[in-house]
Every structure is written in structure tokens, then in C-alpha cells.
Amino acid sequence: MHTDAIAFAGYGTPDVLEPTAIDVPDPGPGQVRIRVHATTVNPLDLKLRSGAMAAFMPLNLPYVPGLELAGNVEASGPDVRHLAPGTAVFGAASHTYAGFALADAHRLAPIPQGMDYPHAAALPVAAEAAWRALEELDVDAGQILLIHGAAGGVGTLAVQFALARGARVIGTASATGIAHLTALGAAATTYGTGLAERVRALAPSGVDKVLDTSGADVLHDSIELAGNPDDVLTLADPMAAQAHGVRFSSGGGAGDRTADALAAVSTLHDNATLTQRIHQVLPLSQAARAHRIAEAGHLDGKIILAP
């Protein structure tokens, strides 16, 4: 079958994103075909389109971006029993800037009751990264977790996951993000000079674990606060991680925690404790505009594209 999509045939500015038609094959073993009702703009979409990742992730052009979706199962592979046609689902997938997309069934979950498509689509990538980081750090009840970039999409979910585990959370953010963090139940302080001293004022004995989602040159202070580079993990800065001897987590392959992350956000939603923010919802036809908005920065949530 064919579906309308947005693709780029060459690297460049957002203007290389253009409408196209693509083939969507029937789902194979372990797969489902999804009618996409919402997808999102992620930082990786911007890097792939611009060519910034071309040396590391060469693409077959033309390329349809997209990493996550929410929609309805339209057809299931021969061995998929738990996601019947018509089921509203959300999860991780590739090439989601389209009316239909294929996805691995194990990276999808039913959308929780009462959650709409845009909010569901905004969750999978950020939730997987946040959940994976907490698992790799082995964050547990009673520990103090410091999260850099805590007001961002990944940080906001990491705060909520950690609090649900019984950890105490200290988040760093810009001045405009402090109220958001305190509303979530975290202690909060701002970035910049004197960061370590401000964190020590909140945790005089230091912290147990540190998660960096910001890439804002915070690893030296983080090691000092945690006392051990093994207790520091970054999702944002692989080069600095190597230089400081801390862990970097990029996910993918056997490290993918999508299924667990979707279950965790569903639990938060069902307990009425899930908080998330959406910056803007745009039609898929305005993907180029969405990329320009994302590149300008200062977002207070995900940009949603609705096919």
C-alpha cells in the first residue's frame, strides 16, 4: 500500500523536507502496521536531516524521519496476538512522518485510558531514555538523585520515575524551569557558576547518583558531588563522558527499554501523577516549520506532528 509522507532527498535546512508518497509493506512476523495519528520532532530528526550525523549514520535517501508515534493498529503480523486491529497504541518506530508506519509489536503498548494521541506520541523516546538511565544507575528508594536538565522532556520523566521509586530528586534547570520542577516534587536549583555549592546546600552530604540530560559541562561537578564517576551517567555528552571516565548511555539494540518505559508511564498516568508538556501541535504538512521552531530552541515540551 502507499501512504503520504514527509521526506528529505538531500541533507540541508528544514526546507529539504517535502511531501512524498511511500510504500508501506504488510507487517511481517512481530510487526504491526499503524495508522499514525501523531508523531513528534526529536533532536535526532534535526541532526539526521541537516547531515550532522551523516558520517556516523549514513542514510538511504530519500529518507522519512520520525522515531515515535501514537495511532491505531491497522494490521498485525501473523504471530502478533496482543495488539488486535483497531487497538490504540503508542511507542517507538521508524519513519513515522507518514500516514502509516510499521513498528515492532514489542516496542508498542496500548494507550492508557483518557490519554490523547498527541500526549501519547510525546512519551516513548523520552520515557525510554529516562527509564534506561535510572536502570543503568540503579536508582533506588532512599537515594538522592541529581538530574541535570531536569525540566526538559527526558528530565521531567526521570524526575517522576525516580520519585515513584522513592528516591529524593534534586534537579538543575534554567530559572524558568524551577517552578516546574518544584511542582513535580523535586528540589531545584539553577545552572551556572556555583552549581556544586547550591546543590550541597540542598544535600550537605552529597548525592548518591547523577544523571546528566543537558550536556552542559556539568560532569566535573557531578563527580565531585557523587564522589565516584561510576555513579554518574550522561545521556547527552559522549566525548565529555570519555574524558571524565563516566558512563554514557545511547540505548538501541539490547539496551532498549521501550517496553518497560511505556509500562512505567502508563502506571504514572493511571495513578494521575504523570506530568508532561507539549509545545505545539502542527499538521504533518508543516514539518519544515516544525523543524525551524525546534532549531530555534526555547521549547517547553515536544512539537507534535499530526498526519
Side-chain angles (χ1 to χ4, degrees), residues 42 99 116 163 201 229 266 292 301:
N42 279 285
D116 62 23
L163 291 173
S266 296
R292 284 191 288 270

Tab-separated table of all heavy atoms in Angstrom, residues 42 99 116 163 201 229 266 292 301:
chain	number	residue	atom	x	y	z
A	42	ASN	N	12.026	15.172	17.187
A	42	ASN	CA	13.076	14.896	18.164
A	42	ASN	C	14.400	15.493	17.695
A	42	ASN	O	14.613	15.683	16.489
A	42	ASN	CB	13.239	13.381	18.355
A	42	ASN	CG	12.205	12.812	19.298
A	42	ASN	OD1	12.280	12.991	20.509
A	42	ASN	ND2	11.220	12.111	18.742
A	99	GLY	N	1.465	8.749	7.049
A	99	GLY	CA	0.117	8.359	7.439
A	99	GLY	C	0.051	6.970	8.025
A	99	GLY	O	-0.813	6.669	8.857
A	116	ASP	N	-4.761	11.319	25.140
A	116	ASP	CA	-4.998	11.562	23.723
A	116	ASP	C	-3.753	11.216	22.902
A	116	ASP	O	-2.674	10.946	23.442
A	116	ASP	CB	-5.456	12.999	23.480
A	116	ASP	CG	-4.428	14.054	23.887
A	116	ASP	OD1	-3.219	13.738	23.946
A	116	ASP	OD2	-4.840	15.208	24.141
A	163	LEU	N	11.055	9.684	41.641
A	163	LEU	CA	10.195	9.913	42.799
A	163	LEU	C	9.288	8.715	43.049
A	163	LEU	O	9.042	8.334	44.199
A	163	LEU	CB	9.364	11.182	42.591
A	163	LEU	CG	10.134	12.510	42.603
A	163	LEU	CD1	9.218	13.656	42.205
A	163	LEU	CD2	10.749	12.762	43.976
A	201	ALA	N	24.034	22.823	49.364
A	201	ALA	CA	23.108	23.456	50.299
A	201	ALA	C	21.821	22.646	50.424
A	201	ALA	O	21.179	22.639	51.479
A	201	ALA	CB	22.797	24.879	49.839
A	229	PRO	N	32.962	8.455	39.848
A	229	PRO	CA	32.486	8.584	38.459
A	229	PRO	C	31.543	7.464	38.039
A	229	PRO	O	30.740	7.643	37.117
A	229	PRO	CB	33.773	8.573	37.629
A	229	PRO	CG	34.816	7.999	38.518
A	229	PRO	CD	34.433	8.357	39.911
A	266	SER	N	2.578	4.518	31.756
A	266	SER	CA	1.166	4.144	31.879
A	266	SER	C	0.751	4.074	33.342
A	266	SER	O	-0.353	4.505	33.711
A	266	SER	CB	0.915	2.804	31.182
A	266	SER	OG	1.148	2.904	29.785
A	292	ARG	N	12.078	24.196	12.026
A	292	ARG	CA	12.630	25.534	12.274
A	292	ARG	C	12.347	25.973	13.710
A	292	ARG	O	13.212	26.561	14.383
A	292	ARG	CB	12.052	26.535	11.273
A	292	ARG	CG	12.655	26.426	9.868
A	292	ARG	CD	12.258	27.604	8.993
A	292	ARG	NE	10.863	27.547	8.600
A	292	ARG	CZ	10.421	26.939	7.502
A	292	ARG	NH1	11.265	26.312	6.695
A	292	ARG	NH2	9.141	26.928	7.201
A	301	GLY	N	8.290	21.801	25.707
A	301	GLY	CA	7.696	20.488	25.502
A	301	GLY	C	7.906	20.050	24.065
A	301	GLY	O	8.540	20.736	23.264
